[in-house]
Amino acid sequence: LWQFDEFILICIFSAVRSAGSNIVWVYSSLLLQKLSSASMRGRVFGVDYALAMLSESASALLAGVLQDDAGLSAAQVSLIMAMVALVTLVMWGVYFSRESKAMHTN
C-alpha cells in the first residue's frame, strides 16, 4: 500500500511540474513574439520548437546514460534532473521578476 501512496505523490508533483513548465513556455513564447520582427517570427518559433525537442531528447538520453553507464539509480537520476529543473526555475524567476519590474517602471 505504501508504494501506491508514493505513486499518488509522483502524479501530483508531476502535474505541478507540468503546469509550471507550461507557464514558462507560454511566457517565453510571448517574449519571443514581442522581441522578434514579423518577418522572422516563424523562423524564431521553428528554432524554439526544435530546441525544445532537442532538449527533451537530450534529457532522456542523459537519464539513460546516467543509469546504464554511471550506475546511478532511477531515484538518483530523478534527483539530479529535479536539481537542474530547480536551478532553471530560479534563473527564470530572477529574469522574469527583473523584466516585470522594468516594464512597470517605464
Side-chain angles (χ1 to χ4, degrees):
L1 186 62
W2 63 270
Q3 290 177 340
F4 184 72
D5 291 338
E6 288 180 0
F7 178 72
I8 297 283
L9 284 175
I10 289 171
C11 289
I12 290 169
F13 287 117
S14 195
V16 169
R17 178 199 52 82
S18 296
S21 296
N22 288 328
I23 290 169
V24 168
W25 186 299
V26 168
Y27 277 118
S28 67
S29 295
L30 288 173
L31 283 174
L32 285 174
Q33 187 175 6
K34 290 173 84 174
L35 297 175
S36 61
S37 66
S39 63
M40 294 297 289
R41 199 166 291 142
R43 294 178 188 99
V44 169
F45 279 106
V47 170
D48 179 41
Y49 292 137
L51 290 175
M53 291 298 114
L54 178 66
S55 65
E56 288 180 28
S57 301
S59 67
L61 177 68
L62 179 63
V65 167
L66 288 175
Q67 286 183 351
D68 293 341
D69 295 339
L72 298 177
S73 69
Q76 291 170 322
V77 171
S78 295
L79 183 61
I80 290 169
M81 296 291 187
M83 291 295 123
V84 170
L86 182 63
V87 168
T88 305
L89 171 71
V90 169
M91 288 170 46
W92 178 257
V94 168
Y95 173 78
F96 184 72
S97 67
R98 287 183 181 174
E99 284 296 315
S100 180
K101 287 178 187 175
M103 290 177 76
H104 291 295
T105 58
N106 291 335

